[in-house]
């Protein structure tokens, strides 16, 4: 089982120590094999052989394939940030910032689309450490949510109230819905996914702005209570508690 404290949090590019280079090389090799053979078809022994390291060395850096995928999640987020930073530095309009960041996610994920469906079969299991909602995925999930907080920064969206505090997490969930669509998208270059983002971003932005309308305050409070209730059912280890009557 993967553990949260082993998930890498820093970029792989520009590393200088031998251990860091070896770790990055093993991860790159694993991703290449995942693209070629799928997630299930690339064993840890096969990854070690292709990387030119011993099986013991591969397991030292990544105790399991789940650890490799957590490393992939973290590296993918770093790549996403590299694409998103210039967009957030340049754009000031909320719609442009949000759409730009979502497009950047599609662009950085594109090389891995071929094996994403196989990975999704495992990640879709709520008990899997590869689930984006799992405790093991919490570091990357927090970092991705922080990115959406940056999307909101510098815009004219009202920054006070409980709704604003929930928006980064809600925008991350919106991205996850788009990624699910992208995983199953077989159109050339996943054009349908890009179109879905282009068409839904204005709707999402409009709904967020409407959330500040005093006439909708009762509805907003109901939604926030629902989110609070759902969060209260989550155990400290990330598992969901059974609801009580």
């Amino acid at each position: 089982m993967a553990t949260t404290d082993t998930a890498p949090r820093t970029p792989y590019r520009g590393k200088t120590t031998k251990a860091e280079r070896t770790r990055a090389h093993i991860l790159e090799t694993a991703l290449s094999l995942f693209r070629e053979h799928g997630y299930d078809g690339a064993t840890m022994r096969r990854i070690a052989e292709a990387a030119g390291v011993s099986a013991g060395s591969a397991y030292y850096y990544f105790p399991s394939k789940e650890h490799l995928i957590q490393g992939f999640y973290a590296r993918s987020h770093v790549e996403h940030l590299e694409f998103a930073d210039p967009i957030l530095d340049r754009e000031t309009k909320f719609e442009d910032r949000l759409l730009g960041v979502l497009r950047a996610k599609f662009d950085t994920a594109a090389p891995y689309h071929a094996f994403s469906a196989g990975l999704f079969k495992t990640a879709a299991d709520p008990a899997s450490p590869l689930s984006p909602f799992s405790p093991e995925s919490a570091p990357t999930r927090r970092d991705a949510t922080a990115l959406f907080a940056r999307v909101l920064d510098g815009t004219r969206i009202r920054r006070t109230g409980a709704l604003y505090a929930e928006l980064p997490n809600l925008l991350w969930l919106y991205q996850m819905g788009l990624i699910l669509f992208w995983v199953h998208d077989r159109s050339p270059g996943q054009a349908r996914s890009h179109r879905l983002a282009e068409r839904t971003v204005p709707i999402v932005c409009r709904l967020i702005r409407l959330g500040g309308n005093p006439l909708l305050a009762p509805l907003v409070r109901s939604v926030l209570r629902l989110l609070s209730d759902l969060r209260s059912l989550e155990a400290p280890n990330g598992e969901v508690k059974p609801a009580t009557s």
Side-chain angles (χ1 to χ4, degrees), residues 165-224:
E166 289 286 354
L167 286 180
N169 187 56
L170 292 174
L171 290 173
W172 175 78
L173 290 172
Y174 167 50
Q175 176 182 261
M176 293 306 300
L178 291 174
I179 290 296
L180 175 58
F181 186 90
W182 174 86
V183 166
H184 297 281
D185 186 359
R186 294 296 179 264
S187 61
Q190 289 68 60
R192 294 173 65 234
S193 298
H194 284 271
R195 179 64 62 85
L196 181 63
E198 292 166 3
R199 295 291 180 85
T200 56
V201 161
I203 297 171
V204 168
C205 293
R206 192 171 299 120
L207 288 172
I208 290 174
R209 289 192 176 94
L210 285 173
N213 189 320
L215 295 176
L216 295 178
L219 176 61
V220 171
R221 285 195 295 269
S222 295
V223 172
L224 293 175

Side-chain angles (χ1 to χ4, degrees), residues 23-238:
R23 182 186 180 92
H25 175 60
I26 294 170
L27 179 58
E28 289 289 347
T29 302
L31 294 178
S32 178
L33 290 179
F34 289 154
R35 289 193 292 268
E36 184 177 353
H37 302 288
Y39 176 72
D40 294 330
T43 64
M44 286 295 291
R45 183 169 296 278
R46 193 173 195 175
I47 292 168
E49 291 175 354
V53 300
S54 68
S57 180
Y59 278 110
Y60 172 80
Y61 290 103
F62 298 98
S64 69
K65 282 205 297 184
E66 286 83 0
H67 285 77
L68 276 166
I69 295 299
Q70 290 297 339
F72 164 60
Y73 286 166
R75 200 196 69 168
S76 294
H77 176 68
V78 170
E79 292 175 345
H80 188 198
L81 284 179
E82 291 176 352
F83 276 62
D85 282 345
I87 296 168
L88 296 178
D89 289 341
R90 180 180 68 248
E91 304 294 348
T92 58
K93 188 178 178 182
F94 182 36
E95 287 88 342
D96 294 337
R97 290 166 71 85
L98 180 56
L99 181 57
V101 166
L102 294 174
R103 282 173 170 165
K105 185 63 177 178
F106 289 149
D107 290 342
T108 55
Y112 313 107
H113 187 266
F115 83 89
S116 62
L119 175 59
F120 175 74
K121 288 190 297 184
T122 301
D125 180 357
S128 171
L130 301 186
S131 166
F133 301 97
S134 71
E136 291 82 1
S137 298
T140 303
R141 185 169 63 247
R142 285 194 298 267
D143 290 345
T145 302
L147 174 58
F148 285 105
R150 287 181 56 201
V151 170
L152 290 162
D153 288 344
T155 69
R156 296 182 179 180
I157 300 298
R158 186 168 174 264
R159 300 188 187 186
T160 58
L163 176 61
Y164 185 85
E166 289 286 354
L167 286 180
N169 187 56
L170 292 174
L171 290 173
W172 175 78
L173 290 172
Y174 167 50
Q175 176 182 261
M176 293 306 300
L178 291 174
I179 290 296
L180 175 58
F181 186 90
W182 174 86
V183 166
H184 297 281
D185 186 359
R186 294 296 179 264
S187 61
Q190 289 68 60
R192 294 173 65 234
S193 298
H194 284 271
R195 179 64 62 85
L196 181 63
E198 292 166 3
R199 295 291 180 85
T200 56
V201 161
I203 297 171
V204 168
C205 293
R206 192 171 299 120
L207 288 172
I208 290 174
R209 289 192 176 94
L210 285 173
N213 189 320
L215 295 176
L216 295 178
L219 176 61
V220 171
R221 285 195 295 269
S222 295
V223 172
L224 293 175
R225 279 197 300 269
L226 172 61
L227 293 174
S228 177
D229 288 345
L230 292 175
R231 192 171 289 121
S232 71
L233 295 175
E234 186 175 321
N237 62 359

